[in-house]
Amino acid sequence: MYNYDKLWQTMSRKGISQYTLINDYEISESLLYRLRHNQSVSMHSINRLCDILECDIGDIVTYYRE
């Protein structure tokens, strides 16, 4: 199971909103929906978010064993 709570904290710390991701970086609303609901997303999407936020994967996602 993946949890993306760290993503929202990192975005807040970096001053980047969901609006900014959608409009300035062309991140889809469906991707943000999947992240909000801790659903599966591609590593490409995670990599892109890391590039945008200038952070590591650990600043975005936490993995928990089921």
Side-chain angles (χ1 to χ4, degrees), residues 31-53:
L31 173 59
L32 291 174
Y33 175 88
R34 290 191 306 273
L35 292 165
R36 280 193 303 273
H37 292 90
N38 294 317
Q39 296 177 351
S40 180
V41 299
S42 72
M43 286 305 295
H44 173 78
S45 296
I46 297 293
N47 185 57
R48 184 131 185 262
L49 289 168
C50 286
D51 287 343
I52 292 167
L53 296 171

Side-chain angles (χ1 to χ4, degrees), residues 7-33:
L7 169 64
W8 315 114
Q9 296 166 3
T10 301
M11 286 173 55
S12 177
R13 195 171 57 250
K14 300 279 185 166
I16 296 179
S17 67
Q18 291 183 50
Y19 179 87
T20 301
L21 288 177
I22 293 167
N23 291 298
D24 294 350
Y25 296 100
E26 299 179 358
I27 297 295
S28 70
E29 291 182 43
S30 63
L31 173 59
L32 291 174
Y33 175 88

